[in-house]
Amino acid sequence: MTPNPPSGKRQSGNPATQSEINLTVKQQREQQKQQKLAEYQRQLAKRRRNKATWWIVGVTAAIVVIGVVVASVIFTPRPVSIARGDGDGAGITGVETFDHTANHVEGEVDYEQTPPAGGDHNAAWLNCGVYSEPVPNINAVHSLEHGAVWVAYDPAQVDQAEVDALKAQLPSTYTILAPYDDIDSPIVVSAWDAQLKVDSADDERIGEFLQAYWRNVNGPEPNATCAGAIDGPGKL
């Protein structure tokens, strides 16, 4: 016969269970308190890590945005700003001058220069800007009448780097930049009744020509607009 346990508290045969039973209520509460405190500290540390992570992400993103803005300011080409010319390019080596009529006509015109530097033209002018294809003579000449400068280049002789160099020199208005096939010089810069032929985009005479003839006051219609009419093919 199995002997009965002594009277009083019931004993567990499992030492771990018996140890837990033997804890006083105060000890159990203290243990629970410590467990809760430890859990709270873990959660607090996790929140701090998350907060630090998002702070680093936010600061990094802000630095990237600031960097992009600064880079755009530093590296974006500034618009070229020049004063209206006086129409006198006599001091520029190589400039040819002409005397043209300025009638509005229908159909094509047989111009004296290639590209033309004035003459009779279509009633609709060409909107100034950059073109990737040749533009109609009869409309571009009308833009010259309004004070525009037309920069034509032979795509067989001028590469994209030089085209970009030409573009960088031009004001954002009252200029036309477009290819022109089979001309006798790599680059031809024209204004009304004036023309300059150069071999490369870094020729300083291009800037001198612009200073003299861009929106010059001696053209037939010096205050007329260079927008709001027609686009040629390949307008960029």
Side-chain angles (χ1 to χ4, degrees), residues 53-98:
T53 300
W54 282 111
W55 185 86
I56 293 171
V57 170
V59 169
T60 303
I63 291 172
V64 170
V65 170
I66 292 171
V68 170
V69 172
V70 171
S72 67
V73 171
I74 294 174
F75 296 109
T76 298
R78 303 292 193 276
V80 177
S81 177
I82 60 176
R84 295 184 69 163
D86 58 8
D88 182 8
I92 305 172
T93 302
V95 167
E96 298 180 84
T97 57
F98 316 97

Side-chain angles (χ1 to χ4, degrees), residues 115 150-154 157-158 162-163 166 169 177 183-189 196-203 206:
W150 180 8
V151 181
Y153 61 91
D154 186 346
Q157 303 182 70
V158 176
E162 282 206 282
V163 173
L166 287 170
Q169 300 180 59
L177 177 62
I183 50 179
D184 60 3
S185 179
I187 300 167
V188 181
V189 190
L196 173 68
K197 297 178 180 180
V198 299
D199 293 330
S200 66
D202 61 3
D203 194 310
I206 296 174

Side-chain angles (χ1 to χ4, degrees), residues 159-188:
D159 61 21
Q160 186 59 49
E162 282 206 282
V163 173
D164 292 339
L166 287 170
K167 189 189 307 182
Q169 300 180 59
L170 302 181
S172 60
T173 60
Y174 286 90
T175 56
I176 298 167
L177 177 62
Y180 202 109
D181 296 324
D182 301 324
I183 50 179
D184 60 3
S185 179
I187 300 167
V188 181

Side-chain angles (χ1 to χ4, degrees), residues 20 23 25-37:
E20 183 178 348
L23 287 174
V25 173
K26 182 177 180 180
Q27 289 173 319
Q28 292 179 21
R29 287 177 178 174
E30 182 62 26
Q31 186 181 52
Q32 292 172 355
K33 180 179 178 181
Q34 293 300 324
Q35 290 172 346
K36 289 180 180 179
L37 179 59

Side-chain angles (χ1 to χ4, degrees), residues 110-121:
D110 186 15
Y111 289 106
E112 297 177 12
Q113 299 84 36
T114 304
D120 297 342
H121 49 270

